[in-house]
Amino acid sequence: MTVDPSYPYWVRQLHSPPNPKSKFASQIQDPPGFTSTTTGKRATVAKQQARKPPTPEETDILKVKKSWEVALAPAKQLPMNAIMMYMSGNSLQIFSIMMVFMLFKNPVQSLLQINQAFARYETPRTRSKMWLVKAVYVLMNLVALALGIWKVNGMGLLP
């Protein structure tokens, strides 16, 4: 392919094929971690080692692990909520009232939607393990509600 000589050097170089490796360059080994695309043996080995699909047991184990992550998510939010409640103060202001409202709203909403939260992880084989996961999820949301009650008490709104 010929390129017009009026084009800049880099354009002509871009459209011309690369120079073949010299004898000296072919004796130099590739750096560690570099895989050359020109070697036919490595490319065929990579194609032969295709990843096998996961078995149903492996899929169920993964679903249970993911459901545990969902169940423990409210516990990961507790320190953040506790610091926010502490920093918002105990006076009755719109900011602290809205923070307490959100602290009550989110756990109640999570408790009402517990089956929807775990629907994608529940299969006939994992159903026996899911009751403990759901119990931990409920417990963590109840702890978040207890944090809200502590804040409301600190604000002087509880008798």
Side-chain angles (χ1 to χ4, degrees):
M1 172 182 197
T2 355
V3 180
D4 186 15
S6 65
Y7 287 125
Y9 174 72
W10 66 271
V11 173
R12 290 184 302 217
Q13 190 179 20
L14 182 68
H15 290 291
S16 65
N19 295 333
K21 286 186 176 181
S22 65
K23 280 195 303 183
F24 181 70
S26 64
Q27 294 172 355
I28 298 174
Q29 292 181 348
D30 289 336
F34 178 78
T35 56
S36 178
T37 57
T38 59
T39 57
K41 291 180 183 178
R42 291 182 184 172
T44 57
V45 169
K47 288 181 182 177
Q48 290 174 356
Q49 295 176 347
R51 196 174 139 193
K52 63 176 183 160
T55 62
E57 291 81 19
E58 292 173 343
T59 305
D60 289 342
I61 290 171
L62 183 63
K63 285 183 178 183
V64 170
K65 285 181 182 179
K66 287 292 186 182
S67 66
W68 273 108
E69 289 179 16
V70 171
L72 294 176
K76 293 177 183 176
Q77 295 174 1
L78 285 174
M80 177 193 65
N81 285 335
I83 290 171
M84 287 172 44
M85 291 301 113
Y86 174 75
M87 297 300 260
S88 67
N90 288 334
S91 62
L92 290 176
Q93 298 174 357
I94 188 68
F95 181 72
S96 58
I97 292 172
M98 291 303 293
M99 296 293 289
V100 171
F101 173 73
M102 291 302 289
L103 191 60
F104 279 112
K105 180 183 116 12
N106 290 337
V108 169
Q109 194 173 20
S110 296
L111 288 173
L112 293 176
Q113 298 174 351
I114 187 168
N115 287 329
Q116 294 167 354
F118 292 102
R120 67 179 123 169
Y121 306 117
E122 197 163 349
T123 62
R125 282 185 276 190
T126 61
R127 190 161 290 151
S128 62
K129 298 175 186 175
M130 293 302 276
W131 72 269
L132 183 62
V133 175
K134 289 180 180 180
V136 169
Y137 185 73
V138 168
L139 179 69
M140 292 302 128
N141 280 305
L142 290 177
V143 171
L145 282 173
L147 182 64
I149 293 172
W150 167 77
K151 179 64 178 176
V152 169
N153 185 37
M155 292 172 76
L157 296 176
L158 284 182

